[in-house]
Amino acid sequence: MVKLNSEYKCFGGKLGFYSHFSSNCNGEMRFAVYQPPQATQKPVPVLYFLSGLACTEENFMVKAGAQQYAAKYGLILVTPDTSPRNTGIFSEDDDWDFGSGAGFYVDATEELWASHYRMYSYVVQELPALIANNFPVQSDRQGIFGHSMGGHGALVCALRNPEQYKSVSAFAPIAAPIHCPWGQKAFSGYLGSDRESWRAYDASELVKQVGYHSPILIDQGTADQFLAQQQLLPDVFEKACTAVDQPLILRYQEGYDHSYYFISTFIEDHIRHHATELQIL
């Protein structure tokens, strides 16, 4: 059962914030949905956005300025929260980059986390089924994109489920998590010490194994502090794409950082990219 917590008119459509009980995450999960005005007349394509570390379902909807372009192109936007919350796991809130707000879009296998932290299955299976049952979406026309940790999640979800996701893009994704401190910390905690199992959630490994059926768009700011700290590693993903002739549009945006100021500057380009691949344009 979906609970509507709040709703607002926005660019001729409506933005709602919702909660429900998740069987995958074994507790309450929250998400937001923007329905463009076109959705009152007929089902429309749906675009999922996965947010980054320490974010909730609200950040993208409040800061990205995406609703006007979703209304322009006729797309439903869906943003889930970034992790389960209030699970009772004693260390859940100890670190900003692990646990609450930092689900990393994996299905945890380590005992402490496995009963709640199943964000991969939640995003790929449970949430789309919930959206299809409650909102006027064309389920055969889904795209996915994200930022930072969510960019990692979007790439992994699309690469592993190319028939489900017709389009993918990312802002400053954690593109090779098995090689960066954020990814190593998260994967060790959620997946354990067997690094071979980590490959299933690393876009730079996956693209070499399975590829993707259409061009991947990535924007990366050159003044991003996490680029300098070797947390994002877009060059590793670029090399992996080159090795298998995967079409990649990797744009380095001069002077932009990791913030939503960066995202809001290029958000229309990304929504247009998805509209093209979803055959809206």
Side-chain angles (χ1 to χ4, degrees):
M1 180 178 177
V2 175
K3 177 185 177 183
L4 175 63
N5 297 318
S6 61
E7 189 173 73
Y8 310 91
K9 187 168 184 178
C10 185
F11 290 98
K14 57 184 179 181
L15 170 61
F17 293 90
Y18 303 86
S19 59
H20 74 110
F21 179 84
S22 166
S23 57
N24 272 294
C25 297
N26 193 23
E28 184 184 76
M29 288 294 293
R30 304 192 306 261
F31 63 93
V33 178
Y34 175 70
Q35 301 180 64
Q38 296 91 327
T40 63
Q41 304 298 320
K42 62 180 181 179
V44 298
V46 57
L47 183 54
Y48 291 85
F49 184 87
L50 306 183
S51 294
L53 288 166
C55 290
T56 71
E57 76 283 359
E58 293 186 350
N59 295 73
F60 177 78
M61 291 298 190
V62 172
K63 296 179 178 180
Q67 293 92 333
Q68 61 184 309
Y69 304 115
K72 177 179 177 179
Y73 295 108
L75 286 158
I76 281 180
L77 289 174
V78 180
T79 62
D81 199 355
T82 51
S83 78
R85 308 273 176 175
N86 304 311
T87 65
I89 298 172
F90 73 92
S91 57
E92 184 177 38
D93 300 321
D94 287 358
D95 298 314
W96 72 277
D97 57 356
F98 184 79
S100 292
F104 262 84
Y105 306 102
V106 305
D107 282 350
T109 55
E110 288 296 280
E111 183 177 359
L112 187 64
W113 305 95
S115 61
H116 293 283
Y117 278 67
R118 296 182 51 81
M119 288 299 294
Y120 174 78
S121 289
Y122 176 74
V123 167
V124 171
Q125 299 171 7
E126 186 174 3
L127 184 59
L130 188 76
I131 296 299
N133 287 332
N134 290 277
F135 299 91
V137 299
Q138 297 178 2
S139 295
D140 60 338
R141 298 168 79 184
Q142 297 184 50
I144 191 166
F145 66 149
H147 171 230
S148 194
M149 177 185 71
H152 139 74
L155 291 171
V156 167
C157 290
L159 290 167
R160 289 179 59 170
N161 303 275
E163 295 305 312
Q164 179 170 340
Y165 300 107
K166 309 300 184 187
S167 58
V168 64
S169 72
F171 294 93
I174 302 173
I178 66 175
H179 297 295
C180 77
W182 277 341
Q184 291 165 358
K185 178 177 180 177
F187 288 3
S188 294
Y190 294 134
L191 304 175
S193 59
D194 179 11
R195 288 182 172 239
E196 193 63 31
S197 69
W198 298 5
R199 295 180 185 274
Y201 296 106
D202 186 299
S204 295
E205 295 293 321
L206 286 168
V207 75
K208 291 186 291 187
Q209 298 169 18
V210 299
Y212 192 63
H213 50 59
S214 55
I216 299 169
L217 171 62
I218 293 177
D219 273 315
Q220 173 64 62
T222 62
D224 188 326
Q225 68 271 35
F226 301 117
L227 180 66
Q229 294 172 15
Q230 297 292 301
Q231 294 281 20
L232 306 176
L233 304 175
D235 56 314
V236 175
F237 187 71
E238 183 179 28
K239 289 175 183 176
C241 288
T242 300
V244 294
D245 296 321
Q246 168 62 47
L248 171 67
I249 306 162
L250 174 57
R251 310 190 306 184
Y252 285 95
Q253 304 292 0
E254 187 67 30
Y256 285 90
D257 62 12
H258 200 70
S259 71
Y260 270 88
Y261 299 114
F262 160 60
I263 294 173
S264 64
T265 301
F266 300 103
I267 189 64
E268 185 177 12
D269 289 354
H270 282 249
I271 292 181
R272 188 188 304 114
H273 168 80
H274 290 277
T276 299
E277 297 300 327
L278 294 170
Q279 300 181 338
I280 298 171
L281 298 179

